[in-house]
């Protein structure tokens, strides 16, 4: 388990020039990953890249949100809303509401892994215990974190990575703040 400030994430501009992805964590070969946790800044409306064989979940972190057209069905994603899942091979077009949007993404290779993304809205300090699987926590606000006896002042978009089953950390929200839990698990065969 390790604390990773947002400034340490690897930034990759999109080929279409409409945004930037910051890689939080990656499993497998970067060219054909098994899973990837990332934060994307969507600068303008446009299509999403296709990822055949991948399951995706996204949640809006910053901005007013976006309207997603997924294979002809419209979905509204707002900063206050819940995560949204869809197939990586779907034809997706995003229309930003009110300008630039930042969102959290988890993608897993369907044949090998599954994932869950949950928005937590803690009001009081609590002890987080890692569930089965590999877990990541993404801060969407300010938190005091105690990891293995060391204190961290977490700011928006900072992460706690590689939380194993049974790992424990103390989380103390500093004002109103959301926390996103992403857990990656082996797919059942």
């Amino acid at each position: 388990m390790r604390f990773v400030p947002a400034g340490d994430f690897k930034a990759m501009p999109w080929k279409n020039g409409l945004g930037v992805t910051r890689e939080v964590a990656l499993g497998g070969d970067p060219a054909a990953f098994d899973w990837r946790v990332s934060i994307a800044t969507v600068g303008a409306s446009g299509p999403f890249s296709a990822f055949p064989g991948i399951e995706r979940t996204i949640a809006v972190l910053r901005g007013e949100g976006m309207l997603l057209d997924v294979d002809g069905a419209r979905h509204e994603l707002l900063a206050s809303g819940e995560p949204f899942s869809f197939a990586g091979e779907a034809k997706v077009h995003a229309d930003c509401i009110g300008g630039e949007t930042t969102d959290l993404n988890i993608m897993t290779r369907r044949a090998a892994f599954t994932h869950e993304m949950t928005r937590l809205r803690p009001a009081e300090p609590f002890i987080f215990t890692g569930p089965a699987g590999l877990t990541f926590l993404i801060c969407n606000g300010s938190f005091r974190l105690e990891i293995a006896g060391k204190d961290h002042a977490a700011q928006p978009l900072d992460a706690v990575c590689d939380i194993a089953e049974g790992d424990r950390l103390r989380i103390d929200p500093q004002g109103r703040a959301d926390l996103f839990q992403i857990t990656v698990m082996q797919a059942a065969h």
Side-chain angles (χ1 to χ4, degrees):
M1 177 171 47
R2 59 194 172 90
F3 175 73
V4 182
D8 289 357
F9 303 150
K10 178 182 172 186
M12 298 164 283
W14 294 358
K15 291 177 186 175
N16 65 11
L18 298 178
V20 174
T21 294
R22 288 171 182 77
E23 190 173 271
V24 177
L26 178 83
D29 183 330
F33 59 83
D34 291 324
W35 54 265
R36 183 176 83 174
V37 178
S38 63
I39 296 171
T41 301
V42 183
S45 298
F48 275 26
S49 297
F51 287 93
I54 299 289
E55 289 297 321
R56 299 181 71 169
T57 302
I58 67 172
V60 174
L61 301 174
R62 300 273 183 280
E64 291 183 42
M66 62 179 100
L67 296 172
L68 285 189
D69 182 304
V70 181
D71 287 337
R74 296 286 277 180
H75 305 274
E76 185 177 54
L77 278 66
L78 303 174
S80 61
E82 293 303 312
F84 176 73
S85 298
F86 58 98
E89 56 271 5
K91 184 177 179 182
V92 180
H93 188 277
D95 290 318
C96 294
I97 302 170
E100 185 174 277
T101 299
T102 300
D103 59 72
L104 174 62
N105 304 273
I106 172 65
M107 296 192 282
T108 52
R109 188 158 308 282
R110 193 174 295 128
F113 291 91
T114 63
H115 68 263
E116 294 177 0
M117 181 192 294
T118 307
R119 179 192 293 266
L120 308 174
R121 294 182 170 107
E124 301 292 330
F126 70 103
I127 301 296
F128 180 86
T129 302
L134 183 62
T135 299
F136 303 86
L137 295 174
I138 309 299
C139 299
N140 197 28
S142 297
F143 291 87
R144 300 287 311 165
L145 305 174
E146 183 183 318
I147 302 170
K150 185 174 180 184
D151 285 330
H152 299 275
Q155 297 303 309
L157 309 184
D158 289 349
V160 181
C161 295
D162 305 329
I163 303 169
E165 183 175 1
D167 282 351
R168 296 168 54 90
L169 67 142
R170 180 176 170 77
I171 299 173
D172 185 359
Q174 304 295 292
R176 186 180 157 151
D178 292 343
L179 191 64
F180 285 87
Q181 175 185 334
I182 296 173
T183 302
V184 177
M185 300 146 290
Q186 293 281 334
H189 289 69

